[in-house]
Amino acid sequence: MTTGSGEDGPVRIPRDAAREAAERELADPRYHQNDPNLLQRALDWFWKKVGELFDAAAGATPGGWAGLLAIVLVVVLLAVALRLRLSALRRTPTTGDGALFGERPRTAAEHRAAAERHAAESRWTEAVQERMRAIVLALEERALLTPGPGRTADEAATEAGRALPAHAERLRAAARAFDDVTYGGRPGTEREYALLSTLDTDLRNSKPRPAALHGGGA
């Protein structure tokens, strides 16, 4: 590199030294005040790559961009349909059409034993269901409820609450728990099972209101 000329002739600067001097000059912050920051550069790189991918996909898709957009729309519609289908399955009752019991008649003791087996395996949803069935059948066996194969948990709780008003609120809570785990898709919990078990024990030791023994109303 040559700089200027004078009486003594041109001044020559070695190439490496000239490059280093230029790099030092360009490193001056004054030249970089308006440069994008690291995050902005990363975003620019990301969107550039996304654009390249879409361009490549459009080039490989029949119809170009129009064909690619049609494919994306179909995928979105399929995803929405699948989500709706899965939501419907989660809302599908796990037993029957809303009734408490299946077709095969069982005793309260059998349902209670089944509930305890499920609880021992930490299968709280099934344990809650079986304990609620045991509660209702035990009340039927004591003639505090009129046997009704198609009865729902809510109906049983309402009728039992009239015969045993001191336990009416807990019976309604038990019915809600049964409905939630059976029809609402929510898993049962150990706490819910404990509450139903305690209610079952308390109901077996309770005495009905005198009017209920003769079929009286509230």
Side-chain angles (χ1 to χ4, degrees), residues 1 12-19:
M1 180 175 179
R12 297 181 179 277
I13 301 176
R15 180 177 300 176
D16 291 343
R19 186 183 68 250

Side-chain angles (χ1 to χ4, degrees), residues 29-173:
R30 291 176 300 172
Y31 297 107
H32 303 279
Q33 291 177 355
N34 297 319
D35 286 358
N37 58 33
L38 180 60
L39 176 61
Q40 185 61 51
R41 291 199 298 271
L43 288 174
D44 290 343
W45 177 87
F46 172 77
W47 288 117
K48 178 183 178 182
K49 292 300 181 183
V50 170
E52 291 174 354
L53 287 174
F54 272 96
D55 289 340
T61 302
W65 278 101
L68 178 62
L69 290 175
I71 292 174
V72 171
L73 180 59
V74 170
V75 171
V76 170
L77 291 176
L78 287 174
V80 171
L82 179 61
R83 181 178 179 85
L84 292 175
R85 176 59 178 166
L86 290 175
S87 297
L89 289 175
R90 283 196 293 268
R91 291 193 296 268
T92 301
T94 57
T95 58
D97 56 359
L100 267 167
F101 306 104
E103 296 180 357
R104 186 177 75 83
R106 301 171 70 183
T107 66
E110 288 176 320
H111 283 291
R112 194 173 291 119
E116 291 172 354
R117 287 195 301 271
H118 289 310
E121 298 172 359
S122 297
R123 298 173 60 182
W124 302 116
T125 295
E126 294 86 350
V128 166
Q129 292 171 327
E130 290 298 320
R131 184 62 73 161
M132 184 62 189
R133 292 172 181 135
I135 288 173
V136 174
L137 271 178
L139 294 173
E140 288 183 0
E141 291 168 359
R142 294 172 61 191
L144 297 179
L145 285 180
T146 302
R151 178 192 285 118
T152 66
D154 289 328
E155 292 168 345
T158 299
E159 185 178 344
R162 289 194 290 267
L164 300 161
H167 302 288
E169 182 57 36
R170 294 168 67 194
L171 283 162
R172 285 192 293 269

